[in-house]
Amino acid sequence: MRNTALSGTDEFGAPLQLVAQSLPPSWRLLKTPGAGAVSLRAPDGTTARLAVLGRRKLEPKDVMALRVASKDALRGTLVTAPFLSPRTRQLLTEAGANYADASGNVRLAVDRPGIFVEREGAQKDPEPGRGPRPLASLKGPAAARVVRALCDFRPPYGVRRLAEIAETAPASASRVVGLLEREALIERGPQDEIREVDWAGLLQRWIQDYQFLSSNNVTTFLDPRGLPSFPTKLRNVKTRAVVTGSLAAVRRAPVASPRLAAVYVDDPEAAAKALALRPAESGGNVALVRPLDPVAFARSWVDEGIRYAALSQVAADLLTSPGRGPSEGEELIAWMKKNTDAWRA
Amino acid sequence: MPGAPDSLYIKAREVLLDALEALGPHRSSLVLVGAQAIYLHTGEADIAVAPFTTDADVIIDPDGLSDHPIIGEALRAAGFLLSDQPGQWVKDDARVDLMVPEAVAGAGSRGARLGPHGNHAARKARGLEGALVDHEMREIVSLQEGGRRFELLVAGPAALLVSKLHKLAERIGEPSRVRDKDALDILRLLRGVSTEVLAERLRALREDPRCATVTTEALQHLERLFARPEAAGSTFASRAAAGLEPEDTIRASCAALTEELLRAFAAR
């Protein structure tokens, strides 16, 4: 029996074409006779067979099902779909599966013959209308409240109880929970209660739609006396002020000395006056932030007379901040994973 | 300077205490100036640059200076050596610079005329006159446990600002790290001391005939070197703080605090 090299328009479709194009020179992707498999041939003639699992649509929760169906033997498979979201790809990678989508997202990790290829394509579905369910988003205040509550409070609880603690309408809570369930970030129990929350995954999913600088209303000011003396002023200020960003993270995680103070306040102009800050054309070192939603103030904690935002909020803010923010966010999340009891109720 | 001070800094403090001990009864005629005095006002952790100064700058007020002990003899007996410069006393690689403000230093070009103490014990320096007026009593304490402590007049923030501005203006053409550090010391003072206090004490300096001229000159230097983010002094300071605070923040801070001080100074 002969294998045929993939070329031109092919019944395997665009994803496999992309895999073939992603290979190093003199590697080949070949159709194997019979359906549902390809083989990968190295220059020295060794080959690996990969079962192709073609899907018209694959959501994160479907990866779980795939894992179960294949008895966790996804290592020898190549999953293809028109589009695979970042979360889907992450779960496929964790399951050891190879994948390719039509937008150019490709991952191929085979031990024998040894090859590793990873390419990034689209992060958002170029044709979102394709699937049966429209992809909801975690933009907006209601999502922020529900996400924060799911992070800050350990399940189990039902959607109604979640809505209460998130101080949001049960219908909004239910919509957000539906999205998160599809994305395999929460697990429901037999009574439909929320049983498990992947809070770290949830934060990563939230920041696809929530951005510290653009979701909130941020104004930058200069404290000409420098950051070391800024906390003293915060201690004495009468208005509500809750610190986020590096200045908060540094209380818990190993983070280099902060260069920007970020503070949630109700009225940035009034707070700037109370804190003796000046409008900054350049060189601003204090960001006063009117939050997307008052949830940014919720479940704050006090250390040495200064009020800090909840760590789930701080982490999301850092992950979407410029400069060293994202790596500081990762440091903080690492600390939060090791010290869940210290911050999760 | 978070954590323990480094060993050079501890040793420099010991050498200063050696000099104060040796000078005994003259201590009441001395005023500590320079970087060591600045850190006493601002603390050392305001901008986290380790103060690498290992010299102590001390001025002598010749008015009321007694004839005994002879300064040079006392210092030599305590192990100090005079370098090739008048007033520059060295011990264990650390330095104590004795200076007399020009306005009260008598004739001559370099060495201050100090009667029985001779012309080499201290040198004349311009810009330090304010320390004769703006000063306060502080305790100079050893950084070693159980070490010595002496009461000494320490120049006030306005006098220190005036003297640093003169020093910076003199060094403006020299490309040096020392000059950048002088500029950062000026920002330390502007940041660490309230604008009202600085303005009030500067006004007092301007009213004293011994230091009125240097004070007026210093404020001109301040405006020229620091009133804008892109001015020379702001640039030097931002360089000295490189890696610790963003350059633009240092520049903008210099300009903002200078503007604030000049406005408060002129307000009355």
Side-chain angles (χ1 to χ4, degrees):
Chain A
M1 287 204 273
R2 288 185 57 234
N3 294 333
T4 342
L6 281 162
S7 64
T9 53
D10 192 274
E11 77 255 34
F12 279 84
L16 288 187
Q17 293 301 322
L18 280 163
V19 174
Q21 286 160 17
S22 307
L23 294 175
S26 52
W27 284 69
R28 292 283 177 272
L29 188 69
L30 306 160
K31 281 197 296 186
T32 53
V38 287
S39 69
L40 193 60
R41 193 176 71 194
D44 68 0
T46 47
T47 58
R49 186 176 180 282
L50 297 173
V52 176
L53 298 177
R55 292 288 184 270
R56 294 175 68 103
K57 183 167 181 70
L58 191 74
E59 293 200 334
K61 68 171 171 45
D62 305 326
V63 179
M64 300 295 185
L66 270 185
R67 270 179 104 147
V68 173
S70 71
K71 301 199 176 73
D72 252 341
L74 286 178
R75 204 155 286 281
T77 60
L78 174 58
V79 176
T80 66
F83 175 71
L84 298 166
S85 75
R87 173 71 181 160
T88 307
R89 283 182 273 130
Q90 184 198 338
L91 292 174
L92 285 170
T93 303
E94 284 168 20
N98 304 291
Y99 62 70
D101 74 14
S103 85
N105 291 299
V106 174
R107 186 175 192 276
L108 208 53
V110 177
D111 289 337
R112 188 164 307 172
I115 187 167
F116 182 78
V117 173
E118 198 167 47
R119 272 179 58 175
E120 287 231 323
Q123 299 301 305
K124 294 223 158 111
D125 191 345
E127 292 173 56
R130 179 171 43 213
R133 281 190 213 98
L135 241 179
S137 131
L138 294 179
K139 272 200 181 79
R145 290 182 183 201
V146 176
V147 167
R148 282 283 317 280
L150 285 165
C151 286
D152 295 352
F153 296 100
R154 256 181 261 245
Y157 34 68
V159 172
R160 189 160 290 276
R161 174 76 190 121
L162 173 66
E164 272 169 34
I165 53 184
E167 295 182 38
T168 183
S172 335
S174 170
R175 274 196 298 275
V176 175
V177 165
L179 164 70
L180 298 179
E181 199 184 359
R182 291 200 297 283
E183 304 243 339
L185 290 162
I186 59 176
E187 259 178 58
R188 313 281 288 256
Q191 265 95 55
D192 229 19
E193 81 279 13
I194 295 158
R195 195 169 55 182
E196 200 77 56
V197 175
D198 171 5
W199 63 264
L202 175 53
L203 283 176
Q204 294 292 348
R205 176 60 189 83
W206 188 27
I207 62 165
Q208 287 176 28
D209 295 318
Y210 167 84
Q211 297 280 316
F212 176 62
L213 291 177
S214 56
S215 302
N216 302 298
N217 190 332
V218 181
T219 321
T220 310
F221 295 88
L222 173 73
D223 182 348
R225 293 187 188 269
L227 285 193
S229 65
F230 182 68
T232 314
K233 291 194 200 169
L234 271 180
R235 240 171 246 134
N236 299 327
V237 82
K238 294 277 176 284
T239 53
R240 176 156 78 157
V242 169
V243 176
T244 185
S246 333
L247 218 54
V250 79
R251 311 300 301 183
R252 292 290 176 263
V255 163
S257 67
R259 293 170 171 227
L260 181 78
V263 189
Y264 283 114
V265 293
D266 293 295
D267 179 349
E269 292 303 324
K273 207 168 253 176
L275 291 162
L277 303 177
R278 300 166 151 252
E281 279 154 37
S282 70
N285 52 1
V286 178
L288 296 184
V289 188
R290 191 166 50 226
L292 164 75
D293 185 89
V295 74
F297 295 107
R299 301 180 284 284
S300 58
W301 45 285
V302 176
D303 192 8
E304 293 182 18
I306 293 170
R307 190 163 282 281
Y308 296 95
L311 293 182
S312 54
Q313 183 71 50
V314 175
D317 290 346
L318 279 172
L319 289 171
T320 56
S321 289
R324 291 186 309 214
S327 64
E328 293 175 349
E330 297 294 349
E331 287 283 357
L332 179 61
I333 287 176
W335 185 92
M336 289 162 75
K337 282 181 176 160
K338 270 187 246 146
N339 302 277
T340 321
D341 289 344
W343 65 274
R344 209 165 180 222
Chain B
M1 199 173 61
D6 68 46
S7 58
L8 269 181
Y9 196 61
I10 296 172
K11 201 166 91 179
R13 179 62 57 87
E14 288 307 302
V15 170
L16 170 62
L17 291 165
D18 288 346
L20 295 178
E21 188 170 355
L23 291 171
H26 295 317
R27 277 206 294 275
S28 56
S29 300
L30 306 180
V31 185
L32 182 68
V33 295
Q36 297 219 25
I38 292 177
Y39 302 138
L40 285 173
H41 289 291
T42 63
E44 283 142 11
D46 54 341
I47 305 171
V49 186
F52 60 84
T53 178
T54 53
D55 51 345
D57 297 338
V58 177
I59 65 158
I60 300 175
D61 184 354
D63 186 26
L65 180 69
S66 69
D67 291 350
H68 298 286
I70 297 297
I71 290 173
E73 286 173 9
L75 286 175
R76 283 193 183 87
F80 285 87
L81 291 172
L82 186 62
S83 81
D84 54 355
Q85 283 227 53
Q88 197 171 82
W89 297 92
V90 181
K91 182 181 177 180
D92 297 341
D93 295 328
R95 241 166 58 188
V96 174
D97 278 314
L98 291 184
M99 292 169 283
V100 178
E102 196 181 71
V104 294
S109 62
R110 292 177 65 214
R113 302 292 184 259
L114 287 177
H117 301 287
N119 302 340
H120 292 284
R123 75 173 173 280
K124 293 171 76 162
R126 184 169 166 75
L128 294 170
E129 287 76 2
L132 301 169
V133 180
D134 176 30
H135 52 227
E136 57 205 53
M137 194 62 88
R138 294 267 185 132
E139 209 165 45
I140 308 298
V141 185
S142 167
L143 300 173
Q144 292 172 336
E145 216 171 310
R148 295 163 291 177
R149 50 182 65 212
F150 293 112
E151 287 215 314
L152 186 71
L153 287 173
V154 172
L160 291 165
L161 182 66
V162 167
S163 77
K164 274 284 169 191
L165 282 163
H166 274 275
K167 216 164 166 184
L168 184 64
E170 280 165 28
R171 284 175 173 160
I172 195 91
E174 307 167 14
S176 77
R177 189 162 153 244
V178 178
R179 180 196 59 188
D180 292 354
K181 199 190 137 280
D182 281 338
L184 186 60
D185 280 343
I186 288 167
L187 177 61
R188 278 179 205 276
L189 284 165
L190 295 174
R191 276 185 164 181
V193 183
S194 90
T195 301
E196 293 67 36
V197 168
L198 267 182
E200 195 183 311
R201 292 199 183 194
L202 282 169
R203 280 193 293 266
L205 294 188
R206 198 186 43 182
E207 274 147 33
D208 190 294
R210 288 172 293 177
C211 49
T213 312
V214 293
T215 304
T216 306
E217 286 170 359
L219 289 169
Q220 286 161 359
H221 296 323
L222 179 67
E223 177 157 26
R224 181 166 52 90
L225 298 173
F226 290 95
R228 286 168 301 116
E230 64 282 5
S234 313
T235 305
F236 302 154
S238 74
R239 235 164 20 206
L244 298 158
E245 268 186 60
E247 187 184 316
D248 284 348
T249 301
I250 294 285
R251 287 175 179 276
S253 300
C254 287
L257 293 169
T258 295
E259 186 214 297
E260 216 173 282
L261 177 59
L262 291 174
R263 206 177 37 218
F265 180 78
R268 233 185 15 197

